[in-house]
Every structure is written in C-alpha cells, then in structure tokens.
Amino acid sequence: MQRVEQALARSKEAMVRDMFAQIAPTYDLLNTLLSFNIHHGWRRAALSDACLTPEARVLDLATGTADLAIGAARQCAQVVGADFCAPILRLGQAKTRRQRQTSITFALASADHLPFADNSFDAVVMGFALRNVPSTQRALAEMARVTKPGGWVVNLDLTRPVRPWLRPLYRFYQDLLMPFVGGLISGRREAYTYLPKSIQGFPPPEEIAEVFRAAGLAEVSFRPLSGGLATIHRGRKP
C-alpha cells in the first residue's frame, strides 16, 4: 500500500509540475484576471500574518513568479524563493531582477523534501500551492521543521465560499468561466479545469487546521478572505 501511495504522489507531482511549466508564460496575467486583481491583497494579508521583522529570514515555498517573495523582501532582510517547477521559477528570478530585489535568492525544491536545515527561517509562507502538493501532511511537517522556534508558518490558498449566496455563483464561475478564460489565454484549458477541481477537493479549513496541529504547530488559526474565496492558515512553532 505504501508503494502505491508513493507512486500516486510522484504521479501527481509530475502532473502538477508539467502543468505549471505549460502555463508559466501567462500565469501572472491570468492570476490577475481570474481573481479580479484581489490576489495582491490576499498576499499582503498573508505576509501580515507572518509577523515579519526587518531582520527576518523568510522562505517563500512554491514561490512561482515570486510575488510573495517580493512582498516579503520589502519587509525583511533575506528571502529564499523555492519551487519545484524550473520554468516558472525562472520567471520569478527574472521578475526580481527587473525589480532589483537583491535580497531574494532561489532554490529548486520540492515541498515534501526541503533542502534546508532545521530551524533555518524566521517564517515560512506558501501561496496557492498546498492543494497541489502530493501530501499536505508531509509539506506542513517540512515547513514546520525548517522554521525557527517562535516563527510562523503561513499558508494562503483558494477555498470554497462560506457565504451561501456566493456558492452557486462561484460554482458557475469556476466550472464554466474559469476554464474558458484560462484556456483562451493560456491555450491550456485542462490546467484551468484542474484548478476548480483542486479547490473542490481541498479539505475544509477546519481539517487543514488539524494538519497544522499534527505538524507540531501551536496557536493555529485560520481566517477566510473575500467571503471564503481564499483562506489564510497560520501556526507558530513552539
């Protein structure tokens, strides 16, 4: 059974890596269009919950095109942006060069096997990626491992609306409009069909909070944003 689970995990990881490599050129544009530009505010809220200080060293895991990393670099001394998809990581590197963000370095790394020592970072943040990892338990355990005692682990992800009146509107949007617009612009409709499925299959916030606790994190809490379209989880390493 364990071998089967490992094979399935590797298969999902390879599928997600290939998908992000294919949509990398239009990733930022579609994030802005499909979220109606709200995603920038969500990222600022996540960084606020990380309680960054000017001296902090921060890991932005699944950094993608480095928006969270760039936001963190404006607040703290050093940021490492890690991602398992080389093409999208190169876009993040190019963006930081354009913006002259010299305090950001990058690493090619998978969320469930981080190449960093224990207690390496004052905070670890992840944006819109926990749904895509092979194992949420393993990813959060690794995030907790590399965080220094007293530091925060923060995850921002897309979730299902908590307001009843939003739910049918959102299902129409994500099941029909999102694949149409995403496919039209990226040329990869299957990627934007996968996206709503990944949101629907993501455990509810209460269950993710329990995974945070199982990873050894304390003071675990979560808060919905924009009526539950996104949710921030955080926990402090004892």
Side-chain angles (χ1 to χ4, degrees):
M1 181 62 72
Q2 186 177 7
R3 289 183 179 178
V4 172
E5 291 176 352
Q6 290 174 344
L8 290 172
R10 288 193 297 269
S11 176
K12 178 178 180 179
E13 184 176 53
M15 182 273 292
V16 173
R17 183 189 295 113
D18 291 346
M19 180 185 70
F20 277 103
Q22 292 166 1
I23 65 173
T26 57
Y27 182 78
D28 279 349
L29 173 61
L30 280 166
N31 274 352
T32 298
L33 290 176
L34 293 175
S35 75
F36 301 98
N37 207 36
I38 299 173
H39 69 105
H40 294 298
W42 292 343
R43 285 186 169 89
R44 287 192 294 270
L47 291 174
S48 176
D49 281 2
C51 301
L52 304 182
T53 65
E55 300 80 21
R57 183 174 188 243
V58 177
L59 172 63
D60 174 23
L61 184 55
T63 189
T65 57
D67 281 340
L68 263 180
I70 291 169
R74 293 173 179 146
Q75 302 179 42
C76 62
Q78 184 182 6
V79 180
V80 177
D83 204 290
F84 75 152
C85 178
I88 205 165
L89 192 64
R90 287 194 290 269
L91 291 178
Q93 291 173 308
K95 184 188 290 185
T96 58
R97 286 195 297 268
R98 289 195 302 272
Q99 298 193 18
R100 299 180 180 178
Q101 292 288 348
T102 58
S103 62
I104 303 174
T105 58
F106 291 90
L108 188 65
S110 175
D112 56 358
H113 292 289
L114 295 177
F116 308 112
D118 296 356
N119 309 320
S120 294
F121 299 96
D122 298 288
V124 176
V125 296
M126 176 186 272
F128 309 115
L130 195 61
R131 289 171 291 109
N132 300 318
V133 301
S135 167
T136 55
Q137 293 86 354
R138 178 67 182 169
L140 282 169
E142 280 289 273
M143 292 165 75
R145 178 183 67 79
V146 302
T147 303
K148 295 178 183 179
W152 289 96
V153 173
V154 177
N155 182 68
L156 165 66
D157 223 318
L158 298 173
T159 46
R160 297 180 291 279
V162 294
R163 296 176 183 173
W165 64 268
L166 261 180
R167 293 171 189 164
L169 293 174
Y170 187 61
R171 287 301 299 269
F172 171 78
Y173 169 71
Q174 71 170 192
D175 290 348
L176 296 176
L177 293 183
M178 187 182 293
F180 174 75
V181 174
L184 184 67
I185 293 175
S186 72
R188 301 288 178 177
R189 183 184 176 93
E190 64 276 11
Y192 290 92
T193 301
Y194 164 82
L195 176 59
K197 289 180 179 178
S198 72
I199 298 169
Q200 291 300 320
F202 196 49
E206 295 82 4
E207 291 185 23
I208 296 299
E210 288 303 316
V211 183
F212 266 66
R213 295 185 183 99
L217 297 168
E219 300 177 49
V220 175
S221 64
F222 64 88
R223 60 177 176 128
L225 305 174
S226 305
L229 298 180
T231 299
I232 296 173
H233 283 80
R234 74 171 187 165
R236 186 192 290 269
K237 184 171 180 177

